[in-house]
Amino acid sequence: MEIFVKNLNLKHKEGVIMNLTTIARDFDYELPLFYEEKHSFNNIEALDSRFCVVLITNGTGVLTVNQNKFIFRAPCVLCINEKEHMVIEEQSDFDFQIIYFHPSVINSALNFETIRNLPENAPITLYQDSYWNKFFLTRSENYHGIISIGPMTMKRLTLLYANLNNEISNQNRENWPCRSRSYFLEILFTLDNVSIEEISLEEPLLLQVNEDFAPILLYLYNNYDQKITVEDITTKFNINRTTLSKMFRDNVNDTFISFLNKLRISIAAQLLRDTKLPISEIMYRVGMNDSVHFLRTFKKYTELSPSEYRKKYCWM
């Protein structure tokens, strides 16, 4: 499987060309894979040329993809295709790393056309390799390219990102393109392990949310681990209970308590899948202090007890 192209005549600067490609210091070949750390993000330079895998390790904010706005909460991974213009705004304590790549880094026969329309006579290996692009191409009411992850998965992905960056930055070992590619495939494999069918809180589409309601959502995403009451919200945002109830009904078709419980249970489920933390500690981590209430609420939304859920889904 060819993963680099020889004898390129490309404009370069300090070993990296400007089209989000890593090239060897002797400029004999390129690898369509590029690592970068940023403090703010707009993938305008990747449009029509690269997919993006964004590892968000800290912060909460609003993500705009084309004309749609969503809330995100770290830790998570954003899988953005070459047609999606992504801007991250309204950041709070934001930290992330990003990998740009062309599908040919997975298989040299793959491009933006073939991954969407594989030939009927394509070899089985091409079908198998195109599988890894599903995170970037699949979109539905419940999946917009945002994959929530737990702390252990974040730790694993952070290490893989660092290893990949070390290989393509230093190029100090033989076969660094193959090794870089191997770390990248491990990243996709890790995402595949955590993107199982699960209880998940659908990220609200903020274009459908009233501008007065968005700050309330952001507050809940930032403070779900604290004790939060209806009175806390009405006081903080200077509204009454009736108005708050109407806001939740009109914007997310839910009640305040139900939405907060779903948010907490979604995060608890992630921790059960991704850690070996005691269930009691997870309960407190998501802002719930009554074990009976936690058990009943968890089972209401997952149809499993926390221990049953961990036994079924935990990958560790």
Side-chain angles (χ1 to χ4, degrees), residues 143-204:
Y143 177 68
H144 306 282
I146 305 173
I147 301 177
S148 296
I149 59 175
M152 294 304 295
T153 298
M154 184 184 74
K155 184 176 180 181
R156 175 62 179 163
L157 288 174
T158 300
L159 176 62
L160 290 171
Y161 269 61
N163 288 340
L164 187 150
N165 182 40
N166 183 62
E167 290 294 331
I168 65 178
S169 299
N170 300 322
Q171 302 174 16
N172 56 1
R173 290 195 291 175
E174 187 178 0
N175 295 324
W176 67 265
C178 292
R179 195 171 292 107
S180 299
R181 177 178 174 275
S182 72
Y183 287 130
F184 176 65
L185 291 177
E186 280 193 75
I187 289 169
L188 297 183
F189 179 78
T190 301
L191 292 179
D192 192 48
N193 280 341
V194 300
S195 60
I196 56 175
E197 224 175 277
E198 59 196 39
I199 172 70
S200 178
L201 184 75
E202 182 180 348
E203 307 296 342

Side-chain angles (χ1 to χ4, degrees), residues 50-108:
R50 291 292 184 269
F51 285 173
C52 306
V53 195
V54 187
L55 173 61
I56 298 179
T57 55
N58 193 62
T60 304
V62 174
L63 167 71
T64 300
V65 180
N66 293 339
Q67 300 302 314
N68 296 323
K69 292 179 180 288
F70 307 95
I71 290 178
F72 69 83
R73 174 187 56 83
C76 65
V77 176
L78 310 180
C79 298
I80 306 298
N81 67 52
E82 88 288 6
K83 296 180 181 296
E84 296 175 314
H85 182 201
M86 179 176 70
V87 179
I88 295 174
E89 50 194 50
E90 298 186 35
Q91 308 162 10
S92 173
D93 300 321
F94 186 56
D95 189 23
F96 74 98
Q97 305 167 62
I98 184 166
I99 294 171
Y100 300 92
F101 75 98
H102 188 277
S104 61
V105 79
I106 300 173
N107 184 309
S108 60

Side-chain angles (χ1 to χ4, degrees), residues 113-166:
E113 181 178 352
T114 57
I115 58 174
R116 291 178 170 88
N117 299 287
L118 282 175
E120 292 184 4
N121 60 346
I124 187 64
T125 54
L126 198 61
Y127 278 94
Q128 291 171 337
D129 288 340
S130 67
Y131 168 84
W132 299 109
N133 294 287
K134 67 176 183 177
F135 309 110
F136 307 90
L137 301 178
T138 302
R139 296 293 183 262
S140 68
E141 290 185 2
N142 295 319
Y143 177 68
H144 306 282
I146 305 173
I147 301 177
S148 296
I149 59 175
M152 294 304 295
T153 298
M154 184 184 74
K155 184 176 180 181
R156 175 62 179 163
L157 288 174
T158 300
L159 176 62
L160 290 171
Y161 269 61
N163 288 340
L164 187 150
N165 182 40
N166 183 62

Side-chain angles (χ1 to χ4, degrees), residues 5-20:
V5 181
K6 295 186 177 181
N7 300 320
L8 292 178
N9 183 16
L10 299 169
K11 181 179 179 180
H12 65 273
K13 179 181 179 182
E14 297 178 354
V16 177
I17 62 176
M18 306 312 291
N19 66 344
L20 304 177

